[in-house]
Amino acid sequence: MNHPTALIADDEPLLRDALARQLAQAWPELRVVAQARNGREAIEQFEAMAPDICFLDVHMPGISGVEAASRIGRRAHLVFVTAHDQYAVQAFAQGALDYLVKPVEMARLADTVSRLQERRAAALPVTQTDALLRQLAAQLGRAAPPRPLSWIYAQVGQALRLIPADQIDYLRSDTKYTAVAWRDNGQPAEALVRTPLKELLAQLDGDHFVQVHRAVAVNLRAVSHITRGSETATIHLKHRAESLPVSRTFVHQFRQM
């Protein structure tokens, strides 16, 4: 028996893993044969593995999910996964392509799986996508910049947690990870994400999150007060005993003190 196969492309590894686990539950016969971190890898993995179905994140570094889908064409069933692009959701809803909104809900994923299974069982051809993909690319090009992240997905032990951005106190980069210091029901907590500090900071609200050191960014809403040294400063937090260094490079942000 030939099992259906799939590719998952998303620049966030935790989300790729989470979707793979959800698919294993919703469609046990499906084999996820490839995962990709960006559009370029998605195309390479597709050419190498020729999966039946591609789950493509819309926004990925370099080549977007829509561009990758254009390269794949009608050689696979396409399902787009999007976090917050209302333009894309409207376009998908008006077209024949399937889509999922992050965080992916099991009930919605089950609907998608049912449609894919029906298409395969009826041996229906892959949806004609060329015109719709051109429309999507045009709409995404006109779309407003993505909204800042409201949630961060992080691994805490064996669990995947959704951390509200407004509950984060600060971020500190590690060799391979970024440590997220946040409040879980008011109690200090910490989690690790694999996204580099610079990349994560670019996705958060710049009005609240600022870099204060090469390896540290702080949520200004979590700051109690700041004490200045001769060329540096120290940030004290409202809900934590530890303090954060402000290096000479970034101390100008507090020059009005």
Side-chain angles (χ1 to χ4, degrees):
M1 178 179 178
N2 292 327
H3 291 283
T5 56
L7 172 150
I8 298 174
D10 195 308
D11 60 333
E12 172 52 59
L14 289 175
L15 298 187
R16 293 198 306 270
D17 294 342
L19 181 55
R21 287 195 298 271
Q22 288 177 300
L23 284 169
Q25 183 177 345
W27 195 354
E29 295 79 18
L30 182 70
R31 299 287 182 261
V32 176
V33 295
Q35 295 194 21
R37 298 173 298 178
N38 51 53
R40 178 184 57 77
E41 284 190 0
I43 296 167
E44 293 174 352
Q45 293 281 4
F46 175 81
E47 298 295 346
M49 304 301 295
D52 303 304
I53 304 158
C54 294
F55 294 87
L56 302 171
D57 184 22
V58 172
H59 292 288
M60 291 187 288
I63 299 175
S64 73
V66 174
E67 293 173 284
S70 296
R71 308 276 186 91
I72 293 169
R74 283 175 283 177
R75 292 181 289 169
H77 296 283
L78 302 173
V79 179
F80 286 103
V81 186
T82 183
H84 40 59
D85 199 313
Q86 190 60 29
Y87 288 90
V89 169
Q90 290 173 359
F92 297 148
Q94 294 166 4
L97 297 176
D98 207 346
Y99 68 95
L100 297 165
V101 177
K102 300 178 186 178
V104 177
E105 298 178 351
M106 279 302 297
R108 179 67 179 83
L109 179 61
D111 290 341
T112 294
V113 166
S114 294
R115 281 191 288 273
L116 290 167
Q117 290 172 333
E118 289 172 4
R119 290 181 205 166
R120 286 177 49 81
L124 295 176
V126 174
T127 305
Q128 171 65 43
T129 59
D130 297 351
L132 185 56
L133 288 174
R134 286 196 296 272
Q135 175 190 344
L136 281 172
Q139 285 191 261
L140 291 170
R142 294 194 301 270
R147 290 179 296 174
L149 291 180
S150 299
W151 303 82
I152 289 178
Y153 298 83
Q155 194 81 34
V156 180
Q158 297 300 313
L160 180 68
R161 296 291 301 267
L162 277 71
I163 299 174
D166 60 5
Q167 296 299 306
I168 297 172
D169 290 327
Y170 66 88
L171 307 165
R172 186 191 298 272
S173 70
D174 201 340
T175 307
K176 296 181 179 178
Y177 303 94
T178 297
V180 180
W182 59 296
R183 278 161 284 120
D184 186 8
N185 293 320
Q187 298 301 311
E190 191 164 309
L192 293 175
V193 297
R194 295 181 184 177
T195 307
L197 176 64
K198 182 179 180 181
E199 186 176 327
L200 189 57
L201 193 56
Q203 299 176 67
L204 291 166
D205 189 342
D207 289 339
H208 295 128
F209 288 88
V210 297
Q211 190 164 6
V212 296
H213 186 276
R214 178 180 56 81
V216 179
V218 68
N219 182 352
L220 293 175
R221 292 170 293 194
V223 174
S224 167
H225 61 283
I226 302 166
T227 54
R228 290 197 60 174
S230 57
E231 294 184 327
T232 61
T234 300
I235 290 176
H236 305 270
L237 302 167
K238 295 176 182 175
H239 309 287
R240 290 173 176 272
E242 65 264 40
S243 57
L244 304 175
V246 182
S247 69
R248 186 167 52 184
T249 303
F250 299 99
V251 75
H252 67 278
Q253 299 176 108
F254 309 102
R255 190 169 292 162
Q256 68 273 26
M257 292 172 52

